[in-house]
Amino acid sequence: MFEAEVELERRSSFLPVLLLVCLVAAIAGMVTYVVFQVRSKTPLSAQEANGIVTAALQGPGPAVIHFRSGLVVSSVAEKPEDPNYRLLEKAGIVKLAKAPHGAELISVTTGGEKLVTAIPGFKKWKEADGTFTYQVPLAQRQLVSIADISMNGVNNAIVQYTWKWVPNQMGDLFDAGGPMVKGFNLWDRQTLINKYEAAFYHDSPTKSTLPLMRTDQGWKIGAIE
């Protein structure tokens, strides 16, 4: 009899605690639901857009050039007679010397080696034919500002922004508006722009737009119409 009364008392004291726990869980669930609903209807903020656009600009990586040193034979992949090598020679990065059978003996100068190896992201490797390939970044894309955010419904937004190139020393040499590139004729300048990453790296910032859509994981880049 005594044990039954103790058990009954234990159960009666446990019931309010259980009810309290259930009440707290219900309130927490309601708060979470309300927060989710509010969040799902909150317009895209400039801070959120800034992070997404910055990542999108960095996604393609920097503008880079490739050139070789050693005995370089003209091929589909590499043309030592093209203006990119003459630009590098004018800049004191390489020295060119004619070799038999239309090949070119290309040597990187001491100053050129020092310049390119100091640039972050520089890479160099040996090819099967004994030549060396140099990969040198020229410029990075950088966000200037978020100009406007327009919501197209609850879950879609269009971000208008401006960005610019930030060139390094090699990028300055390949600036399409700079003295090195402008010293070539029109045909060679077009070749440098179309094939060898010359660009107007010091031009005014570029205006652009990016569509974004809200997902369960947050805002993502949407389809470009």
Side-chain angles (χ1 to χ4, degrees):
M1 181 69 178
F2 178 74
E3 287 85 357
E5 290 179 353
V6 170
E7 178 64 19
L8 181 62
E9 184 177 349
R10 186 184 67 78
R11 289 183 180 180
S12 63
S13 62
F14 176 73
L15 184 60
V17 175
L18 179 61
L19 290 174
L20 180 61
V21 170
C22 292
L23 179 61
V24 170
I27 293 174
M30 181 63 70
V31 170
T32 301
Y33 175 78
V34 171
V35 169
F36 176 79
Q37 289 297 314
V38 170
R39 236 179 233 176
S40 67
K41 295 180 181 179
T42 302
L44 175 69
S45 68
Q47 183 177 4
E48 289 175 303
N50 191 297
I52 297 170
V53 173
T54 297
L57 287 172
Q58 294 175 350
V64 300
I65 58 162
H66 297 84
F67 63 92
R68 292 193 187 186
S69 66
L71 188 62
V72 181
V73 179
S74 184
S75 65
V76 174
E78 198 69 25
K79 298 185 181 300
E81 69 276 9
D82 270 7
N84 59 318
Y85 281 103
R86 283 181 274 132
L87 189 154
L88 291 170
E89 185 178 43
K90 284 175 62 177
I93 307 296
V94 303
K95 287 184 178 180
L96 306 177
K98 294 293 182 183
H101 310 296
E104 196 86 31
L105 183 60
I106 302 170
S107 56
V108 179
T109 65
T110 302
E113 191 81 30
K114 183 178 180 180
L115 189 155
V116 299
T117 55
I119 293 174
F122 161 79
K123 293 180 181 179
K124 176 184 176 181
W125 62 89
K126 190 174 184 178
E127 301 287 354
D129 60 3
T131 62
F132 288 90
T133 291
Y134 287 70
Q135 177 180 294
V136 188
L138 298 176
Q140 294 274 4
R141 297 169 181 82
Q142 183 182 84
L143 177 65
V144 176
S145 66
I146 300 294
D148 183 61
I149 299 173
S150 57
M151 298 297 298
N152 183 16
V154 176
N155 296 319
N156 294 280
I158 299 293
V159 180
Q160 299 179 27
Y161 63 95
T162 57
W163 67 276
K164 66 177 182 179
W165 285 109
V166 181
N168 53 39
Q169 283 182 278
M170 285 293 283
D172 289 340
L173 297 177
F174 279 77
D175 180 21
M180 297 293 293
V181 175
K182 289 175 73 173
F184 288 86
N185 61 43
L186 179 61
W187 177 264
D188 285 342
R189 289 201 302 273
Q190 284 301 120
T191 301
L192 287 167
I193 291 171
N194 294 335
K195 292 180 62 177
Y196 298 109
E197 298 295 334
F200 293 93
Y201 291 122
H202 291 281
D203 211 354
S204 300
T206 300
K207 296 180 180 179
S208 191
T209 60
L210 189 68
L212 301 181
M213 60 184 295
R214 194 197 312 266
T215 70
D216 293 340
Q217 291 75 42
W219 288 94
K220 306 290 183 182
I221 297 175
I224 299 176
E225 299 179 355

